[in-house]
């Protein structure tokens, strides 16, 4: 009887299974549990630096995208203002702080507007591929059998195909028509989607296969839950925990693919939207003729954005992986350790 | 070249090296119909007729004489003792073989369509070829013989009913032009060496060896010519590159007239107020065209976008062709070739067209060079600056574009043209000769019987003076109706090391870049 | 992209739970495993070929692509029909697949060359580029990744990680542009285009029984001017493509090495006094290599895509570059042929990776 | 101080974590002498491993250690790194818990042994090193050591791997060996061999051993002295016999009380915590209980379930796992016969991989039986259709081994427990469901507000209670419990088992109780079966099987099980040795 009465509060930290990140979630307001916020709160030192830098960069890009009309002095397709046509290939000046292009576009304005296109494409591409990839992955992983085998082989085949080339072919197929903004962005977005779906598919599927054997899913099976319900209620939320991470990784991939498409001439036309890769392509001959500003800024914009997203993704990756996560050192600890190592 | 020169390319006295961004499709004349391939053919194959350097006139090549012996019979007599580089004799049977195989093969990429004038070919003897034509005194026929369908090939090397592979041609040394191909690396590097047995119309090659380097990126070619890794850069440096290279001391930028033109096609059915539009009115539609013709500033585009690598085009036949005039100049804009908003406004007001006119303009970003986007951005700006137009500018990828344009999808759209042979005829007939049996390739629903008639007439007009007059009339008629809007004419541009000679001589209205005339 | 895949892979790394295997199933197991992996190449290639076949047909035909601006609608239609492109797609598909099975890749439409010849000529160029880049990537990625893992979260690690991210974030064509600007314009010491200068190309093309790998051919004829010419041409493209891959390798090596450095067998080694250096370079590195190599295999597919951009930027006339040209010309025969080739390369690479993994990982081998 | 092999003085270790500092070890002082085995016991997380790692200064960077750890006269905590590598392995060596993770999977074991040697003797040549490694392997009883030098870890069995890990420590001739749960991952039969090996180490080489374990049987078997840790503190150190005979600290007392013990070979009554004694349902059971438990196997006592209906009936049951691509099929169960009758607890024991779980899963319809016959509630499970079986599912409850894994981390406990109602009582209102959940929580003695907690917010024992609650939600007639307590600490295990017994008492369900722990099965079940390599070797009541095992395997199994009593264990050890031959 005595043992029953001993309170069952776990000791300082209970079993190993309790210890991992989830343990610290208890009693926190809900918003602190959101993916990115919880990561920031967990992080420390270099990792926090990386994460925060990344978030700031992403924020800047987002602000540029949303407020492009306010930030950019001119439209993305403006060749002049009330004072007449811009002089093409003008070096940076007060009027055009980053100069003008061969066509006579204002480089600064186009770089700012380019953020909008980039964000737009990321949203389209990543959302579409998350949606498709998750559904297919769940079904394939859970149902298994020939459906699974076929989907896996197809996904692997697509995955094995150099993604850029697939994106090119898809762009041609999709944008066969006209070059409106929506058309152009959708074409780029969808073609990137096709490339990404296999990735989400793979991750979600393998998670699903793993989860399918987890006791909590089996316990639902033992109860006689319908398959749909098991997928929706038990597997879905658990299988998608890696998604934010892949999301960031794919976002940077999406930007690079979009830029590469633009660079190869399959992008969006300048009068429809501003796109960094396209601008870079157009400025190829400028660079070797001493006109550095037309290439440098769009190029840096790509690098800047990708770095931002990658920093967020990388640090989230580290934070998700207990082996890679850094812990804050206690003041006390650091001091006493130093003294000991003398 | 010996192995020790591995590192550097253009040591003094070494091979002349020329770069280009053109591409070869196939060497076999029956299988290609493009500039890049024809460029090689010009250097290595014999032609019955050739262009006289400096002009767009032709003279005999390996032919001793050539003329209409009857209205429907064109007789060519070959020079004696012609030989291919492989030692095979070049006789009338080779000539007959060369033309007949093209018609027989009918390669979808080939120029067989240029030879539709030929009914049959006779070879009464080894030296004589008689072409029986289905049109009397066809003045363009001799030009065809000098063009992409004209190379004479060795019947022992080429197959009669199939495209012969490049390697077989090179190995078989089936050459009899000023040069023969020494080594051939498809679209990467072609080296030519002088063919001593050349007996065409021109002089023997001035350089013993020429190295032709194929670039995919004009920018790389620019860097190479700047560094001196190549001696000549021919086609197609970007305007920015050319402008930059103009400032370099060791280089000269050579310009010559070009045969390439750029224009806007109006679909007379679907353009604003066109025959099948919501509000059809022929007069108003014409007024829109006239207003546009008055509003565009060609010189500004040529200067701003193309840095004068293109020049304004004021007619349907470009400068340099016999019979070319500037028929649009006096009619539109400020009548000096410049734009004039008031003139444009007047056209519209007179016809009672409501302004601003909403127009949908299509261009293609990938077929006519990388500057098309800039060009049309400028056109849009010019039109809109008049307050008379609202331009919805769109672009479509080439393959789709090529399909759509003939299916009435685009009310107005960009197009370009590079001639099959250097003659005014080639800028008029394919565009404007439009009958049920022989539709024009523009498919813009322009059909004018009097123009059709004049076009037929000029082809068979042996008198040069009369023919030029006819051609001038046709241009004037067209300028009034404006079925298309001529915009620009390309210049031929080559950038070369200061001490390369002969470039200006070959940059002529024949649009043929003859390597044999270059030396350093 | 692969970074996303490496995450789940980590979990099942060498430290993962071990499955019991009976001694008997081991020997034949590997053979069967590899055989099945090998056989899987077939559906992969087939799916890709089919995919590309139909996609390419949607995009248009080569005849319109080349002559759409010169001919009338009727003339075009006639030529298309003469070429047989207006027949039912399925018939064309079965015909193509039939030919493929017989090893007949067809002849390109736009320039009338046997696809096999195209593959042989440009494939080797791309192979050479990829090999050069891999050298750069390995030289950059592996030692730096080891250093970063060793000095984890200290200054060298921070610097290297930022370098890695930068290398990944900079598109090939932008690096290419900057390299060209620096080494081609500002300080013109290196050639910025081509695989070799004209005379060297002529020389190397004259080699009997060429491997078409310029460096090897040049070495074989013992012409050192040519060797240095070839090498100098390779420097910039190899750096541009290699850096990006190297950045990925760096991150990959770092993450996995940190993972294995935390494994109990490392602690076990440490508890017996094995030095830290040896623990990093021997004990931890080899197990870390298994996921690394798997991902590296997938990188090959990416490198081929990167090769399109690198080849275009540096005028390296290879398969990627050529594929791009044929795509624009809508030369579907050529595109399909090249895609089959790429698919086979990727599949075979992954197969080879499996073999290498089997070689490194005794659990697979026995 | 200097005569001790190891002396730890006032050691405290603090970790920095996300949740703040964790003071894992608080002021621990210990000594070990040559030839002495010091056992460190205590519940999970009490700081045993941390203390052990501190001896070799193997703590991660986030840890800070204060105090002194003196090994052969030198303080490890203040050593220079170069000294440290010299000390590690030579003076003190460590044997890790999981042999499979302590060996590098991609290097041959021999090489791994030589790595330690090379580190301390850089000039030694390869041949020499090899010879020494082979010698060490031979010492720990690896047959054909010379040949197996080049084998990889996965080519050894679990027990052999543990031997090799010990050989690594041995090869260096360390005076002090720290063994952190060296046998936890192993089957009892293998465990007893390893314990013998360690004993010979101590006897032959006078090695000092720090043995960390929470298995009191192991302690009784091997230790000379015992240190008991509780929440980072050392609460008691005593000679092994006196500790078992007369525990001082309350924690030690409760720990010893919680340890389940089986009926001994001598036929004594099943012992253990009095509360956990098997209680029976109905008069028949009570009658049985009152009978002397030591009745011999031959004497057939009246079977209390003779009239009960048979719920599960297996005849010639075969279960085959399909081998995927390129792998042969695997027969996990070959021809097993058994019955489970209404209200009866059927225990299933056997070593790892013998097929216990497989049988349990087949009954619940999770794995398909492939041959013979398996009837569950008169439904044939060989080739069953999900549709036919679904209505029967509510009659079956399932309790999983690992309580942490059997709850969806994204659902609250209440939702998890309510899940069965959602599926099988679809008409039920949200409110009724809630009250049902509270009733169930009450049944497993948890307060109602726990319904709103998430699984990770409960302790392991609490989770397992919830798991029981869920399994019982629909008042099943049959419960399959697959090692429901093996993930728990002994003391927690004792409480959960007790609860299980109570509930079974109350609801009267039949149960298949799976465990590898003979003592646990013996304590709970009415009848038990011994499974070996997919075959049922023998079955019967606890007394029959454990009291007079017929099969040599069963005999060995029982003999290998160390009992938590040093005196008794000594005699049993001799017996076990004789059995092994
Ligand atoms: N690296 C670490 N970081 C933070 N806390 C740790 C770390 N290692 C151990 N701890 C904490 O130190 C305490 C003691 O852990 P330790 O591993 O010594 O327990 P143990 O007695 O060995 O338990 P078990 O029987 O489960 O192995 C625990 O509360 C644990 O959570
Ligand atoms: N899904 C599976 N596929 C193939 N073989 C399996 C599968 N699950 C179990 N096995 C094999 O079947 C045999 C019996 O496994 P089972 O899980 O029933 O053992 P167990 O007695 O429960 O062991 P433990 O005590 O380790 O839980 C083992 O050899 C195991 O490797
Ligand atoms: Mg422990
Ligand atoms: Mg089990």
């Amino acid at each position: 009887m005595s043992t029953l009465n001993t309170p069952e509060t776990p000791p300082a930290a209970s079993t190993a299974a309790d210890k991992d990140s989830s343990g610290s979630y208890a009693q926190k307001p809900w918003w602190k549990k959101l993916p990115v916020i919880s990561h920031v709160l967990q992080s420390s030192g270099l990792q926090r630096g990386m994460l925060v830098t990344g978030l700031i960069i992403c924020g800047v890009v987002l602000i540029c995208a949303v407020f492009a009309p306010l930030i950019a002095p001119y439209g993305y397709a403006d060749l002049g203002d009330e004072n007449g046509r811009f002089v093409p290939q003008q070096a940076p000046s007060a009027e055009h702080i980053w100069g003008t292009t061969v066509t006579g576009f204002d480089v600064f304005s186009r770089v700012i507007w380019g953020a909008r296109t980039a964000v737009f494409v990321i949203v389209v591409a990543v959302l579409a591929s998350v949606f498709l990839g998750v559904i297919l992955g769940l079904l394939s992983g859970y149902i298994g059998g020939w459906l699974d085998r076929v989907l896996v082989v197809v996904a692997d085949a697509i995955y094995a195909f150099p993604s850029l080339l697939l994106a090119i072919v898809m762009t041609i197929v999709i944008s066969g028509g006209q070059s409106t903004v929506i058309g152009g962005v959708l074409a780029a977005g969808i073609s990137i989607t096709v490339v990404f779906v296999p990735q989400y598919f793979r991750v979600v599927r393998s998670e699903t296969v793993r989860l399918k054997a987890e006791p909590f899913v089996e316990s639902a099976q033992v109860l006689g839950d319908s398959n749909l319900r098991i997928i929706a209620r038990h597997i879905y939320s658990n299988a998608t925990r890696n998604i934010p991470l892949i999301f960031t990784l794919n976002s940077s991939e999406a930007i690079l693919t979009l830029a590469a498409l633009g660079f190869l001439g399959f992008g969006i036309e300048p009068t429809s939207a501003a796109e960094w890769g396209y601008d870079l392509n157009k400025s190829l001959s400028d660079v070797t003729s001493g006109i550095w500003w037309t290439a440098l800024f769009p190029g840096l914009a790509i690098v800047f954005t990708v770095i931002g997203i990658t920093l967020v993704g990388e640090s989230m990756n580290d934070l998700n992986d207990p082996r890679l996560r850094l812990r804050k050192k206690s003041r006390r600890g650091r001091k006493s350790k130093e003294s000991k190592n003398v | 070249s010996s192995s020790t020169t591995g590192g550097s390319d253009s040591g003094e006295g070494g091979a002349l090296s020329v770069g280009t961004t053109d591409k070869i499709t196939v060497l076999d004349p029956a299988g290609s119909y493009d500039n890049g391939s024809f460029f090689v053919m010009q250097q290595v194959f014999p032609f019955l007729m050739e262009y006289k350097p400096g002009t767009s006139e032709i003279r005999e090549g390996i032919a001793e004489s050539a003329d209409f012996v009857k209205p429907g019979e064109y007789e060519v007599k070959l020079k004696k003792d012609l030989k291919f580089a492989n030692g095979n004799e070049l006789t009338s049977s080779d000539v007959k073989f060369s033309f007949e195989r093209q018609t027989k093969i009918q390669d979808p990429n080939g120029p067989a369509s240029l030879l539709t004038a030929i009914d049959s070919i006779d070879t009464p003897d080894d030296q004589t070829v008689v072409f029986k034509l289905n049109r009397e005194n066809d003045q363009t026929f001799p030009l065809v013989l000098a063009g992409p369908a004209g190379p004479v090939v060795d019947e022992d090397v080429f197959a009669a009913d199939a495209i012969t592979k490049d390697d077989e041609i090179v190995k078989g040394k089936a050459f009899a032009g000023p040069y023969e191909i020494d080594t051939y690396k498809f679209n990467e590097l072609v080296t030519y060496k002088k063919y001593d047995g050349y007996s065409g119309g021109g002089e023997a090659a001035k350089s013993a060896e020429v190295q032709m380097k194929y670039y995919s990126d004009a920018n790389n070619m620019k860097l190479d010519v700047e560094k001196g890794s190549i001696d000549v850069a021919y086609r197609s440096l970007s305007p920015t590159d050319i402008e930059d290279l103009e400032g370099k001391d060791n280089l000269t930028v050579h310009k010559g007239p070009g045969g390439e033109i750029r224009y806007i096609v109006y679909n007379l059915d679907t353009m604003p107020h066109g025959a099948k539009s919501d509000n059809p009115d022929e007069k108003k539609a014409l007024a829109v065209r006239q207003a546009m013709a008055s509003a565009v500033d060609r010189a500004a585009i040529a200067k701003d976008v193309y840095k004068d690598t293109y020049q304004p085009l004021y007619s349907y036949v470009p400068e340099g062709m016999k019979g070319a005039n500037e028929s649009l100049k006096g009619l539109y804009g400020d009548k000096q070739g410049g734009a004039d908003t008031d003139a444009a406004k007047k056209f519209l007001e007179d016809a009672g067209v409501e302004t601003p006119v909403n127009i949908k303009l299509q261009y293609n970003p990938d077929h006519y060079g990388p500057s098309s986007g800039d060009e049309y951005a400028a056109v849009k700006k010019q039109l809109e600056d008049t307050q008379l137009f609202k331009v919805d500018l769109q672009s479509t990828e080439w393959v789709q574009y090529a399909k759509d344009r003939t299916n009435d999808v685009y009310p107005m759209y960009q197009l370009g043209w590079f001639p099959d042979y250097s003659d005014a005829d080639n800028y008029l007939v394919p565009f404007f000769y439009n009958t049920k049996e022989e539709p024009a390739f523009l498919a813009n629903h322009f059909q004018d019987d009097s123009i059709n008639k004049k076009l037929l007439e000029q082809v068979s007009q042996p008198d040069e003076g009369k023919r030029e007059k006819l051609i001038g009339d046709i241009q004037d008629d067209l300028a009034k109706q404006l079925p298309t809007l001529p915009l620009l004419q390309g210049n031929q541009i080559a950038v070369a090391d200061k001490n390369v000679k002969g470039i200006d001589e070959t940059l002529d209205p024949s649009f043929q870049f003859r390597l044999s005339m270059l030396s350093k | 992209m692969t970074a996303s895949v490496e995450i789940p892979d980590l979990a099942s790394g060498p430290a993962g739970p071990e499955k019991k295997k009976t001694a008997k199933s081991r020997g034949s197991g590997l053979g069967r495993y590899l055989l099945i992996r090998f056989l899987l190449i077939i559906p992969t290639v087939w799916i890709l070929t089919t995919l590309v076949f139909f996609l390419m047909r949607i995009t248009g035909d080569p005849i319109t692509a080349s002559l759409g601006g010169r001919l009338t609608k009727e003339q075009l239609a006639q030529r298309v029909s003469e070429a047989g492109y207006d027949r039912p797609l399925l018939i064309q598909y079965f015909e193509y697949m039939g030919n493929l099975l017989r090893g007949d890749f067809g002849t390109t439409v736009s320039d009338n060359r046997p696809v096999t010849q195209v593959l042989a000529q440009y494939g080797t160029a791309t192979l050479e580029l990829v090999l050069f880049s891999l050298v750069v990537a390995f030289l950059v990625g592996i030692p730096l990744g080891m250093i970063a893992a060793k000095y984890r979260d200290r200054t060298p690690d921070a610097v290297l990680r930022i370098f890695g991210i930068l290398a990944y974030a900079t598109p090939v064509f932008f690096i290419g542009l900057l390299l060209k600007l620096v080494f081609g314009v500002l300080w013109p010491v290196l050639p910025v285009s081509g695989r070799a200068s004209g005379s060297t190309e002529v020389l190397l093309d004259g080699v009997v029984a060429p491997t078409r790998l310029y460096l090897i051919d040049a070495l074989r004829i013992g012409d050192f001017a040519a060797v240095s010419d070839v090498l100098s041409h390779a420097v910039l493209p190899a750096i541009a493509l290699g850096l990006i891959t190297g950045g990925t390798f760096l991150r990959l090596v770092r993450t996995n090495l940190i993972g294995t450095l935390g494994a109990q067998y490392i602690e076990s080694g440490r508890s017996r006094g094995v030095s830290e250096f040896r623990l990093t370079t021997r004990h931890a590195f080899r197990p870390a290599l298994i996921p690394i190599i798997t991902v590296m295999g997938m990188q090959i597919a990416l490198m081929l895509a990167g090769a399109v951009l690198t080849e275009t930027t540096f005028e390296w006339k290879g398969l990627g570059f050529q594929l791009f040209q044929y795509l624009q010309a809508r030369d579907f025969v050529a595109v399909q042929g090249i895609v089959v080739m790429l698919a086979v390369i990727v599949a075979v690479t992954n197969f080879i990776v499996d073999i290498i993994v089997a070689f490194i990982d005794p659990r697979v081998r026995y | 101080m200097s005569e001790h092999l190891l002396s730890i003085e006032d050691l405290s270790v603090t970790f920095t974590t996300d949740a703040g500092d964790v003071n894992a070890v608080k002021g621990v002082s210990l000594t070990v002498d040559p030839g002495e085995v010091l056992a460190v016991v205590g519940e999970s997380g009490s700081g045993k491993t941390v203390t052990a790692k501190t001896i070799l200064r193997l703590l991660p960077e986030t840890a800070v250690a204060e105090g002194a750890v003196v090994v052969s006269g030198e303080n490890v905590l203040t050593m220079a790194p170069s000294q440290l590598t010299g000390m590690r392995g030579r003076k003190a060596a460590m044997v890790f818990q999981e042999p499979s993770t302590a060996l590098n999977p991609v290097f041959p074991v021999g090489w791994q042994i030589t790595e330690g040697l090379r580190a301390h003797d850089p000039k030694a040549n390869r041949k020499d090193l090899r010879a020494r490694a082979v010698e060490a392997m031979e010492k720990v009883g690896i047959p054909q050591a010379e040949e197996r030098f080049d084998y990889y870890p996965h080519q050894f069995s679990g027990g052999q791997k543990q031997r090799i890990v010990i050989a690594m420590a041995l090869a260096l001739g360390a005076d002090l060996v720290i063994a952190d749960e060296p046998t936890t991952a192993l089957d009892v039969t293998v465990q007893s061999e390893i314990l013998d090996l360690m004993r010979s180490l101590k006897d032959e080489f006078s090695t000092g051993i720090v043995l960390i374990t929470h298995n009191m049987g192991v302690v009784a078997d091997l230790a000379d002295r015992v240190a008991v840790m509780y929440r980072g503190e050392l609460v008691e150190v005593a000679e092994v016999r006196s500790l078992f005979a007369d525990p001082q600290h309350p924690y030690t007392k409760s720990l010893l009380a919680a340890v389940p013990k089986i009926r001994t070979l001598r036929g004594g009554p099943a012992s253990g915590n009095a509360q956990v004694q098997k209680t029976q349902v109905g008069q028949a059971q009570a009658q049985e209980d009152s009978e002397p438990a030591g009745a011999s196997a031959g004497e057939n006592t009246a079977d209390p379930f003779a009239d009960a209906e048979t719920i599960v009936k297996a005849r010639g049951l075969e279960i085959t796992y399909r081998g995927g691509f390129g792998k042969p099929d695997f027969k996990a169960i070959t021809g097993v016969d058994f019955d489970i009758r209404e209200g009866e607890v059927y225990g299933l024991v056997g070593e790892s991989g013998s097929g216990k779980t497989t049988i349990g899963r087949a009954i619940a319809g999770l794995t398909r039986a492939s041959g013979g016959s398996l009837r569950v509630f008169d439904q044939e499970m060989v080739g069953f259709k999900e549709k036919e079986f679904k209505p029967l599912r509510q009659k079956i409850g399932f309790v999983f081994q690992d309580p942490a894994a059997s709850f969806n981390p994204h659902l609250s406990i209440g939702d998890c427990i309510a899940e069965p109602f959602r599926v099988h009582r679809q008409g039920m209102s949200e409110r009724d469901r809630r009250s049902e959940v509270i009733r169930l929580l009450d049944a497993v003695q948890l307060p109602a507000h726990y319904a709103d907690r998430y699984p990770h917010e409960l302790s392991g024992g609490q989770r397992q209670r919830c798991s029981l609650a869920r399994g019982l939600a629909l008042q099943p007639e049959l419960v399959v419990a697959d090692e429901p307590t093996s993930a728990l600490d002994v003391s927690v295990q004792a409480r959960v088992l007790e609860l299980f017994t109570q509930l079974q008492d109350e609801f009267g369900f039949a149960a298949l109780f799976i465990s590898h722990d003979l003592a646990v099965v013996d304590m709970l079940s009415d009848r038990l079966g011994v499974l070996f390599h997919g075959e049922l070797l023998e079955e019967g009541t606890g007394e029959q099987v454990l009291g007079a095992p017929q099969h040599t395997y069963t005999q060995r199994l029982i003999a290998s099980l160390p009992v938590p009593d040093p005196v008794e264990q000594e005699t049993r050890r001799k017996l076990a040795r004789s059995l092994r031959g």
Side-chain angles (χ1 to χ4, degrees), chain A residues 11-14 16 19 327, chain D residues 15-17 22-25 42-51 60 62 97 180-181 212 214 489:
Chain A
S14 50
K19 250 183 322 198
R327 266 115 190 166
Chain D
F15 288 97
T16 318
T17 68
V22 172
N23 201 348
V25 175
E43 69 186 342
S44 183
S46 56
K48 308 183 292 290
T49 299
V50 171
T51 308
T62 50
Q97 169 170 7
D180 187 0
E181 316 215 10
I212 296 171
H214 46 225
D489 263 351

Side-chain angles (χ1 to χ4, degrees), chain A residues 252-298:
Chain A
S252 41
E253 200 65 34
I255 293 196
L256 291 176
T257 309
L258 176 72
L261 284 177
F263 183 79
L264 290 174
F266 290 101
I268 300 158
E269 278 304 292
T271 43
S272 311
E275 200 270 297
W276 298 326
Y278 178 90
D279 287 359
L280 206 50
N281 172 316
K282 289 282 149 182
S283 58
L284 276 181
S285 56
D286 296 354
V287 175
T288 49
S289 301
I291 301 168
W292 50 270
W293 56 91
T294 51
L296 190 68
F297 295 112

